[in-house]
Amino acid sequence: MPKFIADLHIHSRFSRATSKNLDPEHLALWAQKKGIKVVGTGDFTHPGWISELQEKLIEAEQGLFRLKPDLAASIKPAIPDSCQDSPRFMLTSEISCIYKKNDKTRKVHHLILLPGFDSVLKLNRRLEQIGNIRSDGRPILGLDSRNLLEVVLETSDRAFFIPAHVWTPWFSLFGSKSGFDDIEECFEDLTPHIHALETGLSSDPPMNRLLSQLDRYLLVSNSDAHSPAKLGRESNLFETALDYDAMVKAMTDGQGFSGTIEFFPEEGKYHLDGHRKCRVRLHPEETKSRKGICPVCGKAVTVGVFHRVDDLADRDHPKISKAFFSLIPLTEILSEIHGCGPATKKVTRIYEDLINTLGPELHILMDASLEKIKQTGGVLLSKAIDRMRNNKVIRQEGYDGEFGVIRLFDDGEKDEPYQNRISSDYQGERQGDAL
DNA sequence: TAAGGATGTGAAGGCGCACT
DNA sequence: AGTGCGCCTTCACATCCTTA
């Protein structure tokens, strides 16, 4: 069976606060630079996006699509030879359900996978009667999660429904400000139709697997990318035939699903508790001793993912069933090494050089030999990647919407020529800022 | 002096909720 | 009852600062 990487939760340019570049061509381009074989389309509920997809994609395998040949040819020159590998698209979308249940307001996001345009259009006709699906690629519906699931199941018996980023405080199944304490309370009689949960950036398998109530669910990871360059920052490893039903089966029974690619959970923006505006960051035990109150403003802090997991956990040691790889985006590693921002021209140029020589980013981060990395990217890069692969990272946790920072080198540790005034200033500012 | 880089802010839809 | 605010996301853009 082929081994491949899939990132199924992303957005199009029809969603709010997303890049204008999010069209099928740029998604295909970046999927190849990252080394992703199957990428979700996102936003299939949006009429403008779905008609663009119908125009630009053709079915490649059962339930998977690829760019039409003329479009594929048009992006080919922009893709390094080392990365050429025609990606597939799966029709996916995210829906935001906001509703009241058992006297509490619930705001829960869900990811939906469908096998073809017919079923997408059928679902869209149903949803259009419930709410406005034209104004946003991620529509907000006043619909109970259970009832959305029912509508989806009625649309196609091949549909797959995944609660999205289940721990984020504001919009998720287990969210401290929005969700439930158990899955049955959310989906009731239809709970058996849920087979997989998306864990989000701020949690990883060792955290999730402290909850016995999650034992019967597969954990999946996706990027929720709002720009092409963020594709695959979290993603899934499949070892199945390349088609829709095989992938859905793997996510249903776990066979052929070999693991996930993860952020270090501390990098996620809701890992710890606190208030971003008050610059207060608290560990769960601190939050509890302060009775959930922010010492600066006196209001309730935003309770993060680590705290929620801790509250609902019923084990001391995680029961881990699948492999997972904790990675740092390559531009962030280069940013630390070279002492400048991850989106600067310098980092972009080095990034392009690296994938040109070594292959797709995820290959460089996970599999490429350290010797080759050293030859192309220098000794600091190979040292950095070696440390990342062995979990030897310095973690500064994110909280209340602020991303954490994962570093690989102590201050002063980097040798010449990179250790210079700019880089130490930069690190100092970043550290100071975050508290 | 120009280019590059850092930083701050506005943008979007829909909903609940606090407040008047 | 009605109004306004805050929340989701993070990009895109404008502006200011730094460096060669």
Side-chain angles (χ1 to χ4, degrees), chain A residues 25 28-30 32-33 72 74-85 87 352 355-356:
Chain A
E25 296 92 321
L29 170 69
W30 275 94
Q32 290 173 84
K33 287 163 75 159
S74 75
I75 61 167
K76 197 163 192 266
I79 301 160
D81 287 342
S82 56
C83 300
Q84 300 266 353
D85 182 18
E352 294 292 330
I355 64 170
N356 252 303

Side-chain angles (χ1 to χ4, degrees), chain A residues 8-11 92-97 107-113 138 145 148 160-175 178-180 183 186-187 194 196-203 208 218-224 234 305:
Chain A
L8 303 176
H9 180 173
I10 65 132
H11 290 282
T92 69
S93 200
E94 183 184 37
I95 290 176
S96 175
C97 292
K107 304 182 182 183
V108 191
H109 285 185
H110 300 295
L111 180 66
I112 297 166
L113 321 182
R138 186 205 301 105
S145 297
L148 174 64
F160 199 68
F161 190 104
I162 307 172
H165 43 70
V166 295
W167 293 105
T168 62
W170 299 97
F171 282 103
S172 78
L173 179 58
F174 292 129
S178 60
F180 300 87
I183 297 175
C186 181
F187 292 109
I194 303 296
L197 304 173
E198 186 189 81
T199 57
L201 301 183
S202 297
S203 77
N208 284 270
L218 185 79
L219 301 178
V220 303
S221 281
N222 296 298
S223 69
D224 204 351
E234 293 208 329
V305 166

